[in-house]
Amino acid sequence: MDFGALPKSVRSTLENSTHGVLTILNIGCKKRVPPVNNDLLFLPATVLAEKIRKAEITSEQVVKAYIERIAEVDGLLNAVVEGRYEDALREARLADQLVKSGTWTEAEIAEKLPLLGIPFTAKEAVLIKGLPSTCGLVCRKGMTAEEDSEPVKRLRACGAIPLALTNTSEICMWWETYNKLHGRTNNPYDTTRTVGGSTGGEAALIAAAGSVIGIGTDLGGSIRIPAYFTGIFGHKPTQGVVPRGGQFPPALEEISPYVVVGPMTRYANDLKLMLSALVGKETTQQLGLFSPINIDSIKVYYMLDDGGSPGTSISRDVKEAVKKAVDVLSVKGLVVKEVNLKYMKLGFLIWCAYLSKVKDQRIAKLMKGDVKDDDEGTQHELLRWLSGKSEHTLPIILNAFAQDHLAPVFKSLLDFCSDCGDKLKEQLLDLLTNEPSVFIYPTFPHTAPYHGQMLANPYNVSYSVIFNALGLPVTQCPLGVNSSGLPYGAQIVAAPNNDALSINIAEFLEKELGGWSSP
């Protein structure tokens, strides 16, 4: 790739970093990314798009600013798998030419190309033509996407410009972003901490101001947990409203009730703009994304923890943050009520129970790089890992083993938990559908743990995965940082097709509590 159009210092960094894929060896040395020194990087996509339409700034300026920021931070983060920087600059110049030509008025551009000239990034599972399609699998090294995925096509159709692909956990099946092909991604607030997974590279880059908006996928908190650990906004949309075509791993029909594609942003008001582009005009109107909402009319239910499941107690700072958010809404005049939904404590097991019904989307097959039958089994792979010869990470091997061997053994327990999940969904829908309502709930029990600690207590993801099982739209909203400078937040849950309610509450909380805090 030719980086000739970039400043010499930026060009040198990008050329020498193998497209930003650096392995951070001194994990024990705590670092954070350098401060942002370009004012363009502090502007939401909504504002940038308006300024580009008005010719107050150029798309080329914006794209260059983000390329320079990637060069500045990715050596610490290892978030970017590969960029398309020259192509992005060329497309930015075309966007600027359209504005200058006067072919369309500013209003016409806003209507037809609402994201004109805005760069975006995507997790590697969301395919971009010509860029890698490995999802962290060593056996897929060198494979590239032959065409854009449907979400990327839709953002392009609105004028947005793909900038880079970001790192994921191996085949998106773990809550830490690490794999044997691209390495480990670090948290921009503290490089000794995890960014979560599977959309961890995307969250890290957005939080570090290396991207303004991005695409993630969410099967078990994969958007919301990384967004929480890095202090940004992430939205898990209503099931099925965003087309998922063009992913690896492929989202087969039987897993479609649980997995979604959704937006990740640094600013709350970009969620609607991006979600609208992903769902299309007709669905935007059906969801009422831009319809006026009287926030005072929304009723707020909340829980401060899951009711007492083992090992998932909420830390004091997270609990205080949730209380602060609830208090702000109460002062605003919203009706606020604490509830106790007893089945929430079974959240992780309910999610496992629902996914145990998935038969074709076997992890052991996906580990081979496709969906062919696995002829050796996970026991052999575990032995290879123990001898240091495996190309896979331990979590993915354990996940595959659990799916193939533990799920059948615990069938009775999983059936019981599935029944509890059905009852919990009925209870939540009863709360959320009788009148405009949201449910506020922690995203995770504490701030970002150190690298590797997620494996010690996977049950902590119970707070997020339960909403994949129940199929409800959720907005992860940052609520500040703790005394150590690590972000925390909470989930805002709504009834199906009421995405606008949760996003509106997130927008209000951002104004009151500050939203994203620069690392």
Side-chain angles (χ1 to χ4, degrees), residues 83-119:
R84 53 185 305 277
Y85 306 117
E86 279 301 310
D87 289 338
L89 286 168
R90 177 179 54 80
E91 290 163 15
R93 295 183 193 108
L94 291 175
D96 294 331
Q97 289 173 16
L98 176 61
V99 173
K100 292 177 182 177
S101 71
T103 304
W104 290 340
T105 66
E106 180 190 333
E108 287 174 327
I109 294 175
E111 171 66 22
K112 297 175 181 179
L113 298 171
L115 285 167
L116 180 66
I118 301 301

Side-chain angles (χ1 to χ4, degrees), residues 312-334:
T312 61
S313 59
I314 297 291
S315 66
R316 178 182 298 177
D317 51 2
V318 172
K319 187 173 290 189
E320 289 177 352
V322 175
K323 284 181 179 178
K324 182 166 60 175
V326 170
D327 289 344
V328 165
L329 293 168
S330 179
V331 170
K332 171 67 176 172
L334 281 72

Side-chain angles (χ1 to χ4, degrees), residues 215-288:
I215 307 175
T217 65
D218 196 315
L219 171 64
S222 290
I223 286 174
R224 290 159 289 139
I225 292 173
Y228 168 85
F229 285 163
T230 59
I232 64 170
F233 294 88
H235 183 69
K236 170 183 135 32
T238 291
Q239 219 69 29
V241 298
V242 179
R244 300 184 312 275
Q247 292 184 47
F248 184 84
L252 302 182
E253 185 62 31
E254 63 175 353
I255 208 168
S256 62
Y258 313 112
V259 64
V260 297
V261 173
M264 302 174 74
T265 66
R266 211 155 59 244
Y267 301 101
N269 62 354
D270 288 340
L271 288 174
K272 288 180 183 176
L273 181 66
M274 195 175 172
L275 183 58
S276 176
L278 290 170
V279 302
K281 291 183 179 179
E282 183 177 342
T283 305
T284 293
Q285 292 176 347
Q286 292 172 355
L287 296 176

